[in-house]
Amino acid sequence: MSEERPPTVLYEVKDRKAYLTLDRPDRLNAIDFHMPGDLAAAVKRANADPRVHVIVLRGAGRAFCSGYDLKISAEDGQGTQGSAGGDPVWDPIKDFAVMKQFTDDYFSLWRSLKPTIAQVHGFAVAGGSDIALSCDLVVMAEDAKIGYMPARVWGCPTTAMWVYRLGAERAKRMLLTGDTIDGRTAAEWGLVLEAVPADGLAARVEELADRMAGVPINQLAMQKLMINQAYDNMGLHGTQILATLFDGITRHSPEGRWFQEFAAAHGFHEAVEWRDSGRWIPEGGGPVPTREDLER
């Protein structure tokens, strides 16, 4: 009989609110292969719980979520195909099926009949931004960071929520650079609801959640369904299918394979530092930088 693994998402109910806590603090709540399913299961549990009117999503430790655990997926090659440590040939539909399930798991927050609030401190970056932006409302600490750095290489945001929240020009500003912005800028741009001082973040989220928690569940569900339908009418689901397919391609393009081989050779910290620094990512891949290249 196999040992039961600890959950990556904790569940607690208090005062008509369900608190879902991403719980891999030693890895800045980086996403492993269990977290998406654990998150969806917790959202489903909250929707079935008659005590719950509002769902609050937060992260344990120093960050909300630092994205996919690159030590697993890039450095060790687990879950990749056509690259070191993965399957010898990339099957795009197999890849799509896995990533679409992850996307649907995150989007359980958006599809939830009960409203969801993301409480973001530290970082909500890469796949962590997909999780945060799947919530109905996002409240950030002013000094927290949000962004999708894998837009530079090895990723495409599968939930596609950057464009639906920001509009085309600012979505392009973020995804054509891979830059991050702080909570103040995210609120000014309309990416998130508001930004508050870090020491007042939890209190502000409580205030907002309490205001909603006094509304009957059926009223909350109907208002949310009506608003979400407008986004569905704009083609949200189709955009997510395209984004998820592109995400697989970015990880198996010549440049994506180069990045994974870089991480396998030198470690994911070095690979991410190169990617995010703005240094040249070679067209068509090419040789992985040597240790001497990294030290220049």
Side-chain angles (χ1 to χ4, degrees):
M1 187 175 178
S2 62
E3 292 185 16
E4 185 176 349
R5 65 173 177 83
T8 61
V9 180
L10 305 181
Y11 184 89
E12 176 188 3
V13 176
K14 183 179 179 182
D15 299 330
R16 291 182 288 189
K17 294 163 288 186
Y19 297 91
L20 280 52
T21 306
L22 306 179
D23 192 41
R24 298 188 73 222
D26 57 321
R27 301 289 300 158
L28 297 179
N29 300 316
I31 303 162
D32 66 6
F33 296 124
H34 301 295
M35 184 178 284
D38 287 352
L39 177 60
V43 173
K44 182 177 180 180
R45 180 178 176 183
N47 272 269
D49 191 335
R51 299 173 297 167
V52 173
H53 286 227
V54 182
I55 300 168
V56 175
L57 178 63
R58 57 195 182 182
R62 296 184 292 122
F64 176 81
C65 179
S66 60
Y68 284 95
D69 195 328
L70 290 183
K71 186 167 181 63
I72 297 172
S73 55
E75 185 173 321
D76 297 340
Q78 295 181 39
T80 65
Q81 298 174 297
S83 54
D87 297 335
V89 177
W90 176 47
D91 182 336
I93 298 305
K94 180 179 177 181
D95 190 292
F96 173 79
V98 172
M99 292 308 301
K100 183 62 164 63
Q101 184 59 62
F102 285 176
T103 304
D104 289 346
D105 289 341
Y106 305 150
F107 231 56
S108 65
L109 293 156
W110 183 265
R111 301 297 181 196
S112 163
L113 290 176
K114 298 176 181 180
T116 56
I117 305 172
Q119 176 180 311
V120 174
H121 74 293
F123 299 94
V125 293
S129 68
D130 277 322
I131 294 176
L133 297 179
S134 293
C135 289
D136 299 312
L137 304 175
V138 183
V139 181
M140 289 182 67
E142 291 176 339
D143 61 355
K145 299 288 188 180
I146 191 167
Y148 196 87
M149 302 90 76
R152 296 188 65 83
V153 69
W154 224 61
C156 180
T158 61
T159 62
M161 289 305 288
W162 290 92
V163 67
Y164 286 94
R165 286 181 175 270
L166 278 180
E169 189 165 20
R170 281 181 166 155
K172 289 175 182 177
R173 166 65 183 87
M174 295 301 294
L175 297 181
L176 299 180
T177 63
D179 288 345
T180 61
I181 54 176
D182 63 20
R184 295 181 189 88
T185 303
E188 289 171 4
W189 286 9
L191 179 66
V192 304
L193 178 67
E194 60 185 294
V196 298
D199 59 4
L201 177 63
R204 178 57 184 139
V205 170
E206 284 295 298
E207 180 183 17
L208 187 60
D210 283 340
R211 179 67 175 162
M212 295 180 188
V215 178
I217 292 172
N218 59 6
Q219 282 291 118
L220 294 169
M222 286 186 284
Q223 307 306 334
K224 181 172 174 176
L225 284 168
M226 179 270 295
I227 296 167
N228 282 7
Q229 185 59 48
Y231 280 74
D232 288 336
N233 292 346
M234 288 190 279
L236 174 58
H237 180 66
T239 304
Q240 288 183 344
I241 289 175
L242 184 66
T244 304
L245 285 168
F246 280 173
D247 182 64
I249 294 170
T250 66
R251 285 181 281 106
H252 297 91
S253 67
E255 297 81 9
R257 289 167 61 94
W258 174 86
F259 178 79
Q260 197 277 318
E261 289 164 5
F262 189 147
H266 299 297
F268 73 95
H269 286 297
E270 292 279 15
V272 166
E273 184 176 345
W274 185 290
R275 179 196 70 193
D276 295 348
S277 70
R279 297 176 76 175
W280 184 57
I281 297 167
E283 297 285 339
V288 170
T290 64
R291 177 53 56 185
E292 290 74 21
D293 292 329
L294 299 181
E295 292 171 354
R296 286 175 190 154

